[in-house]
Amino acid sequence: MTAVIILIAVVGSLALAAVNFFGVKKLDPGLPKMVDIADAIKEGADAFLRHEYKVISMIAIVIVALLWLSVSWYTGVAFLIGALMSASAAWVGMKIAVIANVRVSNTARTTKSLGKTLKVAFRGGSVMGLCVGGFALLGLWIVYVVFGEWMGQMHIGQIRIVTNWMGVSFIPFTMTVSGYALGCSVIAMFFRVGGGIFTKAADMGADLVGKTEAHIPEDDPRNPATIADNVGDNVGDVAGLGADLLESFVGALISGVVLSSYMYYTTMTSASPLPEALVTKLMTYPVLFASFGIISCILGILFLLVKKVSDHPRMELNYSTWVSAGSTIVINGVFSYFYFKDEAVWTAGFRFGPLSAWYAAILGIVSGIAIGLIAEYYTSYDYRPTQRVGRSSLEGTALTITEGMALGMKSTALPVIVLGLAIIAADYFAGLYGVALAAIGMLSFVSATVSVDTYGPIADNAGGICEMSELEHEVRAITDQLDSVGNTTAAIGKGFAIGSAAFAALSLFASFLYSQAQPADTSGYALILNMVNTLTLSGIIIGAALPYFFSGVLIEAVTKAARHMVQEVRRQFKEQPGILTGEVRPDYKTCIQISSAGAVREMVFPALLAVTTPIVSGFLLGPEFVGGVLLGATVSAIMLAIYTANAGGAWDNGKKYLESGNVPGIKKDSEAHAAAIIGDTVGDPLKDTVGPSLDILIKIMAVVSLIAVSIFQNNNLLELFK
């Protein structure tokens, strides 16, 4: 029955994605000039994908081989499945984005209707959203059916610690799902980092030279970096975002599976063992909960697509999200009660009977919404914090930067308080399993969240095509309004990603502690990490520094690529003066190549840093040190991710606050506007490269530690000197 429900969710989501894909594709792309620009964006996106997939495939093959040899063949195969699912979702999302953008522009041109244009943009975005949920569950369905059922890894008799030829000990199914999650995570890291470097290098090059030096509008066809900037929106905010949230979704799901497996094994011979029937249900409940969430998202997406849409885009997008979230809550509430009502759930730490796990999941949904609303408050120019950032540009660049920094730092307090209280409450409802369920709840309607998020860059690209095609102002006004709402939805989406990363990382950390159990530890195994041990303390300190080093590497990578872009744009303006007069067409391809080469070159080291840090740390100083590194990195990364996301979002929308005419007398070529552009430029790599990558960093480290701990537990330098 479990496999059937998962399959229904998979088929439903991917079928609707296909319908929406071809429904958008058959729309009229518009005027020849619009099609020409859209083709250039598509060509650039395709070129980047080819380069990135070459690098990713080589690294993936190496990781598969290492997992196959050091852990098990099925861990390597599961990794490959996860990598394929994540890469497939990103590929489809990129394809629909470069198809939908020009059709959104043309819909705005031909209908002059905000509501009809919104529907096309959302329909395009829904393809990415549905593929994220569909491909994530498809991979898990394969893992559950092939390895769990056919090979019997989920059968209660095989929930045992086995030892491979290297002396490495593990529970087979936990290693299989961990391999799957690692495959998703590694691909997500490459897409987030590579996409973030690409898009921000192009964006910064376009802004610093085009806007501030040449004083030409955003998305002006005279700017050589314009096409690269539009390509970057698809690379970073569509493919990168989709792979990121797919990875978060899978990481949350497998954390519940791994926890329940080890909870059973370590209590087998204790006074209060987990009943066998309950264990099976605990292992399948996360995936079933997620499947019903995806089905609910299908309903929410269809609700927006079939209803008559108003000219209030934010309200309409909220409707879709609320229908998805509400359906998820109701359907899973009924399902949870009947699923657990005949089980001795108190043995798993459930305090409130069969609905305890559901309560924990709902807590995750509520806290996710709260964090999203906090992000909206700090990043939308409808509210005072971002308005202050925008107005600070009147006094110059320095105050713009400092005001944005202050906002980002202050904005960390409330989300962290929400997370802390939610973790305590989730643990009270259903123990550590409840913490994992909180992450699952937060991401249970991920298809709706990603649909809304992806709509944003599609609308942004559509606005760029309108500008470059020199369409009338009324058309650009429609796409600008859609884009403005997209900035806010993106900030909310980042809030969900950060919150879920915190929950998932904590539950994976608990799994890491459990995974140190030996074959004889079947009774009374304690999750202990000695906080006064010097190894643990030093690990915490070093782990806390790691996100800062990681962020510095990413910002430097963006800066390097942006420097080359700035030099190229200046060169073209200098050597071809006719570009600025509109008499000569800029060389767009060279700018695309610069961003693409920079992204592919610079993305490898940060991704490998995430994978290798826990392994190297473990072989040098053992599991206690790694435990400290995980704790320090998780706490530090959460704070830094919130800071960078909100500060960057505030700088971006502070600029838009001025551009929208909210401050009388401020024009686009004024000194205040130039200061706002600089603020936005500083914030770009923070919110679109650093922040999202930090979420993936802590989950990759947790999953790698979970897989490798049994290897380095008894094989480290400290053991040699004892």
Side-chain angles (χ1 to χ4, degrees):
M1 181 58 72
T2 299
V4 173
I5 294 173
I6 299 172
L7 192 59
I8 290 172
V10 169
V11 172
S13 59
L14 295 182
L16 182 57
V19 169
N20 287 343
F21 184 98
F22 291 106
V24 172
K25 189 176 182 180
K26 73 178 184 181
L27 295 175
D28 182 10
L31 303 173
K33 189 173 184 178
M34 297 169 64
V35 174
D36 182 55
I37 294 166
D39 286 345
I41 296 172
K42 180 180 181 298
E43 183 181 343
D46 289 342
F48 174 77
L49 279 183
R50 287 194 297 271
H51 288 304
E52 187 162 49
Y53 279 144
K54 285 180 182 178
V55 175
I56 291 174
S57 59
M58 290 187 290
I59 293 174
I61 290 170
V62 173
I63 295 175
V64 168
L66 290 173
L67 291 173
W68 193 302
L69 292 172
S70 62
V71 183
S72 67
W73 68 268
Y74 43 81
T75 306
V77 172
F79 173 92
L80 186 60
I81 295 171
L84 287 173
M85 294 299 109
S86 185
S88 298
W91 184 83
V92 175
M94 182 79 83
K95 288 295 181 182
I96 188 59
V98 297
I99 290 171
N101 53 14
V102 69
R103 287 157 175 84
V104 172
S105 301
N106 194 53
T107 302
R109 182 183 71 89
T110 56
T111 67
K112 304 296 193 296
S113 169
L114 184 62
K116 291 180 180 179
T117 308
L118 164 68
K119 187 172 286 191
V120 176
F122 178 76
R123 195 171 190 181
S126 72
V127 175
M128 180 81 262
L130 291 163
C131 283
V132 165
F135 280 116
L137 286 181
L138 175 60
L140 280 171
W141 180 80
I142 295 171
V143 168
Y144 269 71
V145 171
V146 175
F147 300 102
E149 295 296 330
W150 293 356
M151 294 183 59
Q153 291 184 353
M154 288 185 65
H155 298 175
I156 206 69
Q158 290 203 38
I159 304 180
R160 300 286 190 276
I161 291 180
V162 301
T163 304
N164 71 1
W165 68 277
M166 290 183 59
V168 179
S169 301
F170 52 85
I171 297 175
F173 194 63
T174 66
M175 220 30 102
T176 303
V177 294
S178 297
Y180 177 71
L182 183 61
C184 295
S185 296
V186 169
I187 299 303
M189 176 63 82
F190 277 111
F191 267 104
R192 262 307 191 189
V193 172
I197 294 171
F198 186 110
T199 184
K200 294 304 109 181
D203 196 4
M204 291 171 71
D207 285 354
L208 289 174
V209 183
K211 285 185 179 181
T212 60
E213 295 181 10
H215 302 292
I216 56 178
E218 188 171 5
D219 296 321
D220 193 294
R222 293 173 292 174
N223 194 328
T226 294
I227 297 294
D229 188 12
N230 282 273
V231 172
D233 289 337
N234 300 296
V235 170
D237 296 336
V238 178
L241 168 79
D244 179 3
L245 286 179
L246 185 148
E247 178 268 344
S248 296
F249 187 46
V250 170
L253 292 175
I254 72 106
S255 66
V257 176
V258 174
L259 270 175
S260 53
S261 300
Y262 275 105
M263 285 165 58
Y264 169 70
Y265 179 80
T266 55
T267 61
M268 284 175 54
T269 61
S270 69
S272 305
L274 290 179
E276 294 182 357
L278 177 60
V279 174
T280 302
K281 289 190 174 181
L282 290 175
M283 292 175 67
T284 55
Y285 179 75
V287 190
L288 289 172
F289 192 103
S291 298
F292 286 121
I294 297 301
I295 293 170
S296 298
C297 289
I298 294 172
L299 298 176
I301 291 168
L302 285 173
F303 174 79
L304 180 55
L305 293 179
V306 300
K307 74 182 290 287
K308 184 179 180 180
V309 178
S310 70
D311 289 340
H312 301 285
R314 183 178 297 180
M315 181 182 68
E316 297 293 345
L317 294 172
N318 285 340
Y319 281 155
S320 177
T321 304
W322 292 124
V323 170
S324 301
S327 301
T328 298
I329 292 172
V330 173
I331 294 172
N332 274 307
V334 176
F335 156 68
S336 300
Y337 176 79
F338 287 102
Y339 197 65
F340 286 122
K341 73 180 183 71
D342 297 324
E343 303 297 335
V345 292
W346 61 87
T347 59
F350 288 22
R351 289 180 180 269
F352 299 98
L355 289 177
S356 297
W358 180 72
Y359 291 149
I362 299 309
L363 188 66
I365 294 175
V366 172
S367 60
I369 293 170
I371 293 171
L373 292 175
I374 293 169
E376 181 179 6
Y377 172 73
Y378 279 108
T379 60
S380 172
Y381 66 61
D382 292 335
Y383 302 102
R384 291 178 63 186
T386 293
Q387 291 175 6
R388 283 199 300 268
V389 172
R391 290 182 178 276
S392 66
S393 301
L394 299 174
E395 282 76 42
T397 304
L399 289 185
T400 304
I401 303 299
T402 53
E403 187 71 43
M405 291 174 60
L407 179 147
M409 292 177 182
K410 289 168 61 179
S411 72
T412 62
L414 287 177
V416 168
I417 291 172
V418 170
L419 282 172
L421 294 175
I423 289 169
I424 295 171
D427 180 74
Y428 181 77
F429 288 142
L432 287 172
Y433 188 79
V435 177
L437 261 295
I440 294 167
M442 191 177 287
L443 292 170
S444 55
F445 49 99
V446 67
S447 289
T449 304
V450 175
S451 297
V452 172
D453 283 355
T454 308
Y455 135 91
I458 291 174
D460 189 12
N461 254 211
I465 293 172
C466 290
E467 183 72 29
M468 286 183 280
S469 302
E470 299 177 335
L471 301 182
E472 55 263 40
H473 178 74
E474 184 182 0
V475 178
R476 182 62 199 262
I478 292 173
T479 58
D480 280 351
Q481 191 170 345
L482 295 179
D483 181 31
S484 177
V485 175
N487 283 328
T488 301
T489 59
I492 295 172
K494 288 184 177 73
F496 270 84
I498 294 167
S500 65
F503 283 122
L506 182 61
S507 55
L508 286 170
F509 176 73
S511 300
F512 166 77
L513 297 178
Y514 267 125
S515 65
Q516 297 177 52
Q518 298 298 307
D521 296 328
T522 59
S523 178
Y525 184 77
L527 298 181
I528 296 176
L529 185 69
N530 189 353
M531 298 299 293
V532 296
N533 185 308
T534 53
L535 282 173
T536 305
L537 287 173
S538 61
I540 291 173
I541 294 171
I542 293 171
L546 180 63
Y548 287 88
F549 178 76
F550 179 80
S551 300
V553 170
L554 293 182
I555 294 172
E556 189 175 46
V558 173
T559 304
K560 286 180 182 176
R563 184 178 298 113
H564 292 301
M565 185 68 71
V566 167
Q567 292 169 352
E568 173 60 20
V569 176
R570 285 173 177 167
R571 183 194 66 80
Q572 290 195 33
F573 283 160
K574 182 180 180 181
E575 296 180 3
Q576 297 287 342
I579 292 176
L580 287 173
T581 61
E583 298 170 336
V584 178
R585 179 184 174 94
D587 178 9
Y588 300 125
K589 288 187 177 181
T590 300
C591 292
I592 293 173
Q593 290 169 356
I594 289 172
S595 274
S596 183
V600 173
R601 183 178 60 252
E602 301 292 343
M603 72 180 182
V604 177
F605 177 69
L608 292 181
L609 182 67
V611 174
T612 58
T613 294
I615 297 174
V616 173
S617 300
F619 281 117
L620 288 176
L621 298 172
E624 285 197 337
F625 179 76
V626 174
V629 169
L630 292 178
L631 277 178
T634 299
V635 173
S636 175
I638 291 169
M639 304 292 184
L640 197 54
I642 296 171
Y643 163 68
T644 53
N646 290 345
W651 276 315
D652 188 355
N653 284 329
K655 178 198 68 176
K656 287 183 170 61
Y657 179 71
L658 294 185
E659 292 175 344
S660 300
N662 291 289
V663 181
I666 301 299
K667 300 179 180 179
K668 286 192 174 183
D669 59 349
S670 65
E671 292 185 3
H673 184 240
I677 291 172
I678 298 298
D680 179 31
T681 305
V682 171
D684 274 339
L686 298 183
K687 68 181 175 69
D688 292 325
T689 307
V690 172
S693 300
L694 287 169
D695 303 336
I696 306 172
L697 170 71
I698 57 176
K699 283 174 289 187
I700 284 184
M701 290 178 60
V703 174
V704 170
S705 300
L706 181 61
I707 293 173
V709 64
S710 54
I711 304 175
F712 60 66
Q713 189 170 6
N714 299 312
N715 298 279
N716 58 74
L717 285 180
L718 289 184
E719 289 293 324
L720 294 177
F721 290 103
K722 285 185 177 180

